[in-house]
């Protein structure tokens, strides 16, 4: 029902473009030839691939014109960025582009040869610089980048300069320490025996403290 309501809020032309985009993807998606590695494709399939390339080129041209203007306005203040983001989110950039990128990645995983033959992927690469400039204006971007780089996962030891030999130096936190910390206004949680501080995430989360 939410999707139907959202669809009604879109313009008729934008909704038509979205349907056309999905039609192209469905025509290229392999029905009974998953994992096909053949280098020969039917003329109809190559025609759809060529059409996808032309469609992607037109879409990228539009987004390439819109994003620099959006960036120049959004850099004025955080309020301007929020307003511009709402406009962009309802434009081709926010509606067609995300689904197109996901669809092309899916098609690439199913039939890489056909997608390379179609040639739509290099066109999307031209948008990376425009998107990156706009995203760098987002409030809290530096903090989010630092948190991504310092994520205690596969690359955690690389960015912190620690090696596996230092694992025994990890601080042990007792249950009482955790409870006292949270009583004092902190927000520590335990996942698989490791303590995480999600205090900063609490202010960003839309789920509410009880779910966290």
């Amino acid at each position: 029902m939410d999707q139907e309501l959202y669809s009604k809020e879109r313009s008729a032309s934008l909704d038509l473009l979205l349907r056309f985009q999905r039609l192209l993807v469905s025509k290229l998606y392999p029905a009974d030839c998953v994992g096909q590695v053949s280098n020969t494709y039917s003329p109809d399939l190559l025609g759809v691939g060529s059409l996808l390339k032309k469609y992607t080129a037109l879409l990228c041209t539009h987004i390439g014109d819109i994003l620099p203007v959006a960036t120049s306005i959004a850099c004025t203040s955080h309020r301007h960025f929020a307003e511009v983001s709402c406009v962009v989110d309802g434009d081709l950039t926010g509606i067609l582009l995300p689904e197109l990128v996901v669809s092309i990645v899916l098609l690439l995983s199913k039939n890489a040869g056909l997608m390379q033959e179609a040639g739509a992927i290099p066109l999307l690469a031209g948008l990376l610089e425009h998107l990156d400039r706009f995203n760098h204006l987002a409030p809290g971007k530096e903090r989010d980048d630092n948190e991504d780089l310092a994520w205690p996962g596969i690359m955690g030891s690389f960015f912190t300069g620690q090696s596996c030999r230092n694992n025994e130096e990890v601080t042990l936190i007792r249950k009482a320490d955790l409870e006292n910390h949270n009583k004092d206004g902190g927000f520590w949680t335990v996942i698989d025996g490791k303590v995480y501080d999600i205090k900063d995430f609490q202010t960003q989360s839309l789920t509410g403290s009880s779910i966290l």
Side-chain angles (χ1 to χ4, degrees):
M1 292 178 64
D2 291 340
Q3 187 65 28
E4 291 177 3
L5 179 63
Y6 183 63
S7 178
K8 291 177 182 178
E9 294 176 352
R10 289 196 302 258
S11 65
S13 58
L14 191 55
D15 195 59
L16 186 62
L17 281 172
L18 184 59
R19 291 172 181 268
F20 176 70
Q21 176 177 297
R22 290 173 176 174
L23 179 63
L24 288 177
V25 172
S26 67
K27 292 294 183 180
L28 290 171
Y29 190 84
D32 53 358
C33 54
V34 176
Q36 177 181 355
V37 294
S38 173
N39 293 326
T40 58
Y41 305 100
S42 68
D44 290 343
L45 206 57
L46 292 176
V48 176
S50 177
L51 196 56
L52 177 65
K53 181 180 179 180
K54 293 179 180 178
Y55 169 82
T56 304
L58 292 172
L59 181 62
C60 290
T61 299
H62 171 80
I63 296 175
D65 292 337
I66 291 293
L67 279 181
V69 179
T71 302
S72 65
I73 299 174
C75 68
T76 308
S77 68
H78 291 338
R79 187 177 66 83
H80 283 81
F81 177 83
E83 294 291 340
V84 171
S85 296
C86 290
V87 175
V88 170
D89 194 43
D91 184 64
L92 305 184
T93 310
I95 295 178
L96 299 181
L97 182 61
E99 186 171 315
L100 178 64
V101 170
V102 173
S103 299
I104 287 182
V105 170
L106 177 63
L107 291 172
L108 188 63
S109 68
K110 294 293 184 181
N111 200 332
L114 178 60
M115 292 309 298
Q116 291 173 357
E117 189 79 22
I121 298 176
L123 299 173
L124 293 170
L127 296 177
L128 290 177
E129 186 175 350
H130 295 302
L131 290 167
D132 196 46
R133 286 177 180 173
F134 183 78
N135 288 334
H136 267 70
L137 298 175
K141 184 270 304 179
E142 292 83 2
R143 181 187 62 194
D144 292 340
D145 283 350
N146 291 335
E147 288 178 353
D148 289 341
L149 293 176
W151 182 75
I154 300 174
M155 300 297 290
S157 60
F158 174 79
F159 288 110
T160 57
Q162 297 175 344
S163 66
C164 295
R165 289 174 295 181
N166 295 331
N167 286 342
E168 65 272 11
E169 300 176 6
V170 174
T171 303
L172 297 179
I173 299 176
R174 299 175 302 168
K175 183 179 179 181
D177 296 333
L178 183 141
E179 293 174 349
N180 291 333
H181 178 82
N182 288 348
K183 287 179 182 178
D184 293 336
F187 211 129
W188 287 355
T189 187
V190 180
I191 303 175
D192 292 336
K194 295 181 177 64
V195 177
Y196 295 88
D197 187 351
I198 58 174
K199 180 68 176 179
D200 291 339
F201 178 73
Q202 180 186 12
T203 59
Q204 306 176 34
S205 173
L206 301 177
T207 60
S209 298
S210 59
I211 296 180
L212 288 177

